[in-house]
Coordinates of all heavy atoms in Angstrom, one line a residue:
D30 N 238.2 34.3 25.8 CA 238.4 34.0 27.2 C 238.0 35.2 28.0 O 237.4 35.1 29.2 CB 239.7 33.6 27.5 CG 240.1 32.2 27.0 OD1 239.1 31.4 26.7 OD2 241.3 31.8 26.9
A31 N 238.4 36.5 27.6 CA 238.0 37.7 28.3 C 236.5 37.9 28.4 O 235.9 38.4 29.4 CB 238.7 38.8 27.6
F32 N 235.8 37.5 27.3 CA 234.3 37.5 27.3 C 233.7 36.5 28.3 O 232.9 36.8 29.1 CB 233.8 37.3 25.9 CG 232.4 36.7 25.8 CD1 231.3 37.4 26.4 CD2 232.1 35.6 25.1 CE1 230.1 36.9 26.4 CE2 230.9 35.1 25.0 CZ 229.8 35.8 25.6
V33 N 234.2 35.3 28.2 CA 233.7 34.2 29.0 C 233.9 34.5 30.5 O 233.0 34.2 31.4 CB 234.3 32.8 28.7 CG1 233.9 31.8 29.6 CG2 233.8 32.5 27.3
S34 N 235.0 35.2 30.8 CA 235.4 35.5 32.2 C 234.7 36.8 32.7 O 234.8 37.0 33.9 CB 236.9 35.6 32.4 OG 237.3 36.7 31.6
G35 N 234.0 37.5 31.8 CA 233.3 38.7 32.3 C 234.1 39.9 32.1 O 233.5 41.0 32.4
H36 N 235.3 39.9 31.6 CA 236.0 41.1 31.5 C 235.5 42.0 30.3 O 235.7 43.1 30.2 CB 237.5 40.8 31.3 CG 238.1 40.4 32.5 ND1 238.4 39.1 32.8 CD2 238.6 41.1 33.6 CE1 238.9 38.9 34.0 NE2 239.1 40.1 34.5
I37 N 234.9 41.3 29.3 CA 234.3 41.9 28.1 C 232.8 41.7 28.4 O 232.3 40.6 28.2 CB 234.7 41.4 26.8 CG1 236.2 41.7 26.5 CG2 233.9 42.0 25.7 CD1 236.7 41.2 25.2
N38 N 232.1 42.7 28.8 CA 230.7 42.6 29.1 C 229.8 43.7 28.6 O 228.8 44.1 29.2 CB 230.5 42.4 30.6 CG 231.0 43.5 31.4 OD1 231.5 44.5 30.9 ND2 230.9 43.4 32.8
N39 N 230.2 44.3 27.5 CA 229.4 45.3 26.8 C 228.6 44.6 25.6 O 229.3 43.8 24.9 CB 230.0 46.6 26.5 CG 231.2 46.3 25.5 OD1 231.0 46.4 24.3 ND2 232.3 46.1 26.0
A40 N 227.4 45.0 25.4 CA 226.6 44.3 24.3 C 227.2 44.4 22.9 O 227.3 43.4 22.2 CB 225.2 44.9 24.2
M41 N 227.8 45.5 22.6 CA 228.4 45.7 21.3 C 229.5 44.6 21.0 O 229.5 44.0 20.0 CB 228.9 47.1 21.0 CG 229.4 47.4 19.6 SD 230.2 49.0 19.5 CE 228.8 50.1 19.8
A42 N 230.4 44.5 21.9 CA 231.5 43.6 21.8 C 231.0 42.2 21.8 O 231.5 41.4 21.0 CB 232.5 43.8 22.8
I43 N 230.1 41.8 22.6 CA 229.6 40.5 22.8 C 228.9 40.1 21.5 O 229.2 38.9 21.0 CB 228.6 40.4 23.9 CG1 229.4 40.5 25.3 CG2 227.9 39.0 23.9 CD1 228.5 40.6 26.5
I44 N 228.1 40.8 20.9 CA 227.4 40.5 19.7 C 228.4 40.3 18.6 O 228.3 39.3 17.8 CB 226.4 41.6 19.3 CG1 225.3 41.7 20.3 CG2 225.8 41.4 17.9 CD1 224.3 43.0 20.2
A45 N 229.4 41.2 18.5 CA 230.4 41.1 17.5 C 231.2 39.8 17.5 O 231.6 39.2 16.6 CB 231.2 42.3 17.4
L46 N 231.6 39.5 18.8 CA 232.4 38.3 19.0 C 231.6 37.0 18.7 O 232.2 36.1 18.1 CB 232.9 38.3 20.5 CG 234.0 39.2 20.9 CD1 234.2 39.1 22.4 CD2 235.2 38.9 20.1
Q47 N 230.3 37.0 19.0 CA 229.6 35.8 18.7 C 229.4 35.6 17.2 O 229.5 34.6 16.6 CB 228.2 35.9 19.4 CG 228.3 35.8 20.9 CD 227.0 36.0 21.6 OE1 226.2 36.8 21.1 NE2 226.9 35.3 22.8
W48 N 229.3 36.8 16.5 CA 229.2 36.9 15.0 C 230.5 36.4 14.4 O 230.5 35.5 13.5 CB 228.8 38.3 14.5 CG 228.8 38.4 13.0 CD1 227.7 38.2 12.2 CD2 229.9 38.7 12.2 NE1 228.1 38.4 10.9 CE2 229.3 38.7 10.9 CE3 231.2 39.1 12.4 CZ2 230.2 39.0 9.7 CZ3 232.0 39.3 11.3 CH2 231.5 39.3 9.9
L49 N 231.6 36.9 14.9 CA 232.9 36.4 14.4 C 233.2 34.9 14.7 O 233.7 34.2 13.9 CB 234.0 37.2 15.1 CG 235.4 36.9 14.5 CD1 235.6 37.1 13.1 CD2 236.5 37.8 15.3
R50 N 232.8 34.4 15.8 CA 232.9 33.0 16.0 C 232.2 32.1 15.1 O 232.7 31.1 14.6 CB 232.5 32.7 17.5 CG 232.8 31.3 17.9 CD 232.4 31.0 19.4 NE 232.8 29.7 19.8 CZ 234.0 29.4 20.4 NH1 234.9 30.3 20.6 NH2 234.2 28.2 20.8
L51 N 230.9 32.6 14.7 CA 230.2 31.9 13.7 C 230.9 32.0 12.3 O 231.0 31.0 11.6 CB 228.8 32.5 13.6 CG 227.8 32.2 14.7 CD1 226.6 33.0 14.5 CD2 227.5 30.7 14.8
R52 N 231.4 33.1 12.0 CA 232.1 33.4 10.7 C 233.3 32.5 10.6 O 233.6 31.9 9.5 CB 232.5 34.9 10.6 CG 233.1 35.2 9.3 CD 233.5 36.7 9.2 NE 234.2 37.1 8.0 CZ 233.6 37.5 6.9 NH1 232.3 37.5 6.8 NH2 234.3 37.8 5.8
R53 N 234.1 32.4 11.7 CA 235.3 31.6 11.7 C 234.9 30.1 11.5 O 235.7 29.3 11.0 CB 236.1 31.8 13.0 CG 236.7 33.1 13.1 CD 237.3 33.4 14.5 NE 238.5 32.8 14.8 CZ 238.7 31.7 15.5 NH1 237.7 31.2 16.2 NH2 239.9 31.2 15.7
A54 N 233.7 29.7 11.9 CA 233.2 28.3 11.7 C 232.5 28.1 10.4 O 232.1 27.0 10.1 CB 232.2 28.0 12.9
G55 N 232.5 29.1 9.6 CA 232.0 29.0 8.2 C 230.6 29.3 8.1 O 229.9 29.0 7.1
I56 N 229.9 29.9 9.1 CA 228.6 30.2 9.1 C 228.4 31.7 8.9 O 229.0 32.5 9.7 CB 227.9 29.8 10.4 CG1 228.1 28.3 10.7 CG2 226.4 30.2 10.5 CD1 227.6 27.9 12.0
D57 N 227.7 32.2 7.9 CA 227.4 33.5 7.6 C 226.1 34.0 8.4 O 225.0 33.8 7.9 CB 227.2 33.8 6.1 CG 227.1 35.2 5.7 OD1 227.0 36.1 6.6 OD2 227.0 35.6 4.6
A58 N 226.3 34.7 9.5 CA 225.3 35.0 10.4 C 224.5 36.3 9.9 O 223.6 36.7 10.4 CB 225.7 35.3 11.8
T59 N 225.0 36.9 8.8 CA 224.3 38.1 8.2 C 223.3 37.7 7.2 O 222.5 38.4 6.7 CB 225.3 39.1 7.5 OG1 226.0 38.3 6.4 CG2 226.3 39.5 8.4

């Protein structure tokens, strides 16, 4: 929610969060 609302807006955190969201859904993005 902090990312969607713009409070987290640095590339490193955004890339990592998107990767983790995929991982939690069972998708290995690596």
Side-chain angles (χ1 to χ4, degrees):
D30 287 345
F32 155 55
V33 172
S34 65
H36 289 98
I37 294 178
N38 58 1
N39 61 88
M41 185 187 296
I43 292 172
I44 293 169
L46 286 174
Q47 292 173 331
W48 178 88
L49 182 58
R50 190 175 182 89
L51 290 172
R52 182 181 177 90
R53 291 168 79 251
I56 301 172
D57 186 352
T59 60

